[in-house]
Amino acid sequence: MPTIAALNGHAAASGLMFALSHDYVFMRNDRGVLYMSEVDLGMPLPDYFAAMFAAKIGTSIAKRELLMSGKKIRGEEAVALGIVDSAAHDSVEGVVEATVGLGESLAAKKWNGEVYASIRKSLYPGLWAVLSLTAKIAASP
């Protein structure tokens, strides 16, 4: 089933990776940043981090801003770069309310969880390969 991350503060390094592993990411607009410190620390990205970014962040500009600049990205910019889905929330309650609302809306669809999981896996074959996992194909033409 769909998963939604509700970021009430900073998401850095592996915390950001955990957030990006969700289907949807909501964050506050008044507090918190997304930050990958590896370039500042002089540390290369592990293959699975690079695969996650390649799979989940669409543009080269967004990847550059997040990974190669050491920049701390706030909510509105994160939305503009396509890294998070929403940052229109100015409190813990606001981001939680929006997250729960989306969760309830998606749950009401009563999708088949196995089909949803299969579709999700098929979207990120490079990530599955790096993790040495296989994506089960639910249907073929």
Side-chain angles (χ1 to χ4, degrees):
M1 297 315 306
T3 60
I4 310 163
L7 305 179
N8 288 309
H10 302 318
S14 60
L16 177 54
M17 293 302 299
F18 182 63
L20 289 177
S21 70
H22 291 73
D23 299 308
Y24 301 89
V25 181
F26 288 3
M27 72 182 289
R28 291 174 61 168
N29 65 6
D30 65 332
R31 183 171 180 209
V33 296
L34 307 179
Y35 174 56
M36 288 299 292
S37 58
E38 281 72 6
V39 71
D40 290 334
L41 298 173
M43 297 172 53
L45 285 179
D47 290 344
Y48 54 91
F49 272 39
M52 176 70 86
F53 284 112
K56 299 291 258 190
I57 298 178
T59 69
S60 59
I61 293 169
K63 290 175 204 163
R64 181 190 67 219
E65 289 298 296
L66 190 58
L67 299 170
M68 299 175 68
S69 72
K71 185 175 185 178
K72 294 175 175 85
I73 300 176
R74 294 202 161 275
E76 289 181 16
E77 184 178 9
V79 171
L81 289 170
I83 300 169
V84 302
D85 298 287
S86 175
H89 321 288
D90 59 3
S91 67
V92 171
E93 294 80 12
V95 76
V96 170
E97 181 180 318
T99 302
V100 170
L102 176 60
E104 289 172 345
S105 172
L106 293 172
K109 296 179 182 283
K110 298 182 181 182
W111 288 326
N112 179 308
E114 288 186 29
V115 170
Y116 188 90
S118 177
I119 292 169
R120 179 192 293 137
K121 290 175 186 176
S122 71
L123 293 176
Y124 311 113
L127 181 57
W128 287 95
V130 167
L131 296 173
S132 299
L133 301 171
T134 58
K136 177 182 169 187
I137 305 299
S140 60

